[in-house]
């Protein structure tokens, strides 16, 4: 098993943190090998942000994402840039507050992550955790409990609760 | 030129963000190639955190750090784990609020990053930016301006100022 996950959006949305949390959940709490990378091209100027995670049964020798099995996207620009690289059996999870999808031959699930974060939790900045909770629920790539622990390890002290609530909000949104 | 930088500490200190900002400064604003990675071993359980950055003139084919030219460490545990891998011409920058160094054959610079962040800015969580500002000042690996822009791209909206002030605080601390 090797899964390539790309999380994308713009700077300040916590894209990187979402990737880090997912990698940590998979490796530390599920026993997989995981590597999370950022490579930065000139397109990152102005604030495009991207976080790639490889989760594998085996050692990850080649940690770059070429064909993301799962693409998470929290900006239109990122959506347009990366949606073409998703294979036909892949999955796109997008923040429907911010992204209008266009590709039709790949499964898409929209989650109004930014809206939910703002309206339900009063904190736009946890939209990343809302969409991560949705991704987990849709893919089962790690257990909820592993994801929760990885969040608790990774977020600033004192913000654990609101981040875990955001995960649950995203999960609930796609279960309904 | 290929420089390997490892930033280490515990979860919630913003270790990963520091690596991301450095990689972005080098790649987006200085035109280098840069890759930032996290690999997660079982030792990450409980919250050890590590962020590796490779900055290079050439494409980064092998993005793993083996012998960090620059080691930044914000916890005693991380210090002890990684200090042995620094080559003799390397540099260790440590948070002297939290770390008591032991190795003597490699250059060390202590910066009371957590204390400065708390006392000067009232915000412990920007200690990562204090130490990053110090690292930049000591190594010149990127310009201050590139680092500042990368910070502004990467931190949550509304927190740019305090993060940039933290960078400056760290730079000033090692200049004096």
């Amino acid at each position: 098993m090797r899964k390539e996950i790309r999380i994308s959006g713009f700077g300040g949305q916590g894209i990187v943190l979402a990737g880090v949390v997912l990698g940590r959940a998979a490796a530390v709490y599920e026993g997989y090998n995981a590597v999370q990378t950022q490579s930065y091209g000139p397109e990152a100027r102005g604030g495009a942000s991207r976080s790639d995670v490889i989760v594998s049964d085996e050692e990850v020798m080649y940690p770059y994402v070429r064909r993301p099995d799962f693409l998470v996207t929290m900006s239109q620009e990122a959506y347009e840039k990366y949606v073409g690289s998703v294979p036909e059996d892949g999955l796109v999870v997008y923040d429907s507050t911010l992204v209008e999808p266009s590709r039709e031959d790949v499964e898409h699930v929209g989650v109004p992550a930014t809206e939910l974060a703002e309206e339900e939790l009063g904190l736009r900045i946890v939209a990343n955790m809302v969409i991560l909770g949705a991704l987990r629920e849709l893919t089962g790539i790690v257990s909820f409990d592993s994801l929760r622990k990885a969040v608790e390890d990774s977020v600033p002290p004192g913000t654990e609760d609101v981040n875990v609530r955001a995960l649950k909000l995203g999960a609930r949104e796609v279960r309904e």
Side-chain angles (χ1 to χ4, degrees), chain A:
Chain A
M1 187 280 273
R2 174 188 166 105
K3 291 288 178 194
E4 303 191 348
I5 303 110
R6 172 161 289 168
I7 304 176
S8 62
F10 47 80
Q13 283 182 316
I15 296 299
V16 176
L17 180 62
V20 168
V21 163
L22 181 60
R24 176 178 281 268
V28 179
Y29 296 111
E30 302 268 339
Y32 290 110
N33 293 286
V35 179
Q36 179 275 336
T37 60
Q38 273 83 50
S39 320
Y40 314 78
E43 79 283 1
R45 198 177 282 254
S49 181
R50 182 182 99 190
S51 177
D52 290 343
V53 185
I54 311 282
V55 176
S56 177
D57 285 334
E58 295 173 22
E59 195 181 345
V60 180
M61 302 301 288
Y62 184 84
Y64 297 117
V65 163
R66 285 156 302 184
R67 303 278 284 158
D69 300 285
F70 309 134
L71 173 67
V72 173
T73 178
M74 297 185 70
S75 79
Q76 190 69 31
E77 187 188 345
Y79 176 84
E80 284 166 12
K81 189 167 174 59
Y82 301 123
V83 73
S85 64
V86 180
E88 285 196 10
D89 60 351
L91 171 69
V92 177
V93 182
Y94 64 98
D95 186 336
S96 57
T97 313
L98 302 170
V99 177
E100 182 74 44
S102 55
R103 192 174 161 190
E104 289 182 358
D105 61 335
V106 165
E107 189 184 352
H108 279 57
V109 178
V111 181
T114 296
E115 186 184 324
L116 285 169
E118 207 156 53
E119 295 192 354
E120 303 278 325
L121 300 170
L123 203 60
R124 194 181 180 97
I125 190 70
V126 298
N128 60 345
M129 296 296 149
V130 174
I131 208 158
L132 192 58
L135 177 74
R136 193 225 73 77
E137 187 71 23
L138 292 163
T139 65
I141 189 165
V142 295
S143 71
F144 180 81
D145 206 47
S146 295
L147 195 61
R148 181 185 55 74
K149 285 186 215 158
V151 166
E152 290 170 348
D153 288 344
S154 305
V155 300
T159 70
E160 294 91 343
D161 274 5
V162 69
N163 278 288
V164 170
R165 286 169 62 206
L167 286 182
K168 289 181 183 168
L169 198 59
R172 203 173 58 211
E173 181 69 17
V174 296
R175 257 203 311 272
E176 278 164 3

